Structures are given as structure tokens and as C-alpha cells.
Amino acid sequence: MSEAKSICVRIQGKVQGVFFRAATQQQANALGLHGFTRNELDGSVYIEAEGPADNLELFVRWCHQGPPQATVHRVEVSEQPSKGFHGFEVRR
């Protein structure tokens, strides 16, 4: 098992109104990640996720494509201190 990490991700493109947050939650749950996702006022999607480094890497790869209706133009990823999330939620 790989070392646990915590990241924040900002995704830009056609990512709102295409079920990106719901798909993000499904993907995070499948990979055993914890955190949240929300829409931002600038039209981007913001994610904070924690879990095994290998699974976070797979998750970030998925973020570059997202759900079928999305068009991802840019993905920014940065590491952050762990916040001890439980579960993965969609925030409004």
C-alpha cells in the first residue's frame, strides 16, 4: 500500500452541468478516497482528496478526462496537509 497523501485539484473547461461532481464522487469512492468536490463561481470544479498516493494518481488521471459530457481544458494539482476527511461528498 502506498503512502497517504492529500491534494487539491482545480479543473477548468466544460465541467459544470455535465455531472462532473457526481462522477467525481463515484470515482473517488471506487478508489477509496476521502474529501469533497464543489463547483466554483468561475465555472471550474474544485476537489480536495486524500488517500493512498497510487490511488490519487489514478484519480488525477481520471480528472483529465472526467465524465463523457465534460471537456477538460486544464487540471491544476497541488499537495496540501491532510485534513482527515471521512467519506467523499458533493458540496453545493
Side-chain angles (χ1 to χ4, degrees):
M1 181 165 230
S2 66
E3 173 189 352
K5 286 176 55 178
S6 182
I7 60 170
C8 54
V9 184
R10 183 174 306 276
I11 303 158
Q12 297 172 319
K14 183 184 169 197
V15 294
Q16 290 189 9
V18 294
F19 303 102
F20 206 105
R21 290 176 303 157
T24 297
Q25 183 182 43
Q26 186 176 32
Q27 188 70 18
N29 286 335
L31 291 169
L33 304 177
H34 300 276
F36 70 89
T37 181
R38 69 176 181 234
N39 285 340
E40 298 289 274
L41 293 176
D42 66 2
S44 66
V45 168
Y46 178 78
I47 302 164
E48 291 190 17
E50 299 177 351
D54 293 347
N55 290 9
L56 285 171
E57 188 176 314
L58 293 171
F59 181 71
V60 169
R61 273 195 232 151
W62 176 87
C63 288
H64 279 84
Q65 183 171 349
Q69 305 91 332
T71 305
V72 175
H73 293 194
R74 183 179 177 136
V75 177
E76 300 170 14
V77 181
S78 58
E79 287 192 43
Q80 66 178 6
S82 178
K83 296 183 180 175
F85 293 113
H86 296 285
F88 196 95
E89 64 182 29
V90 173
R91 293 188 180 172
R92 309 267 174 240

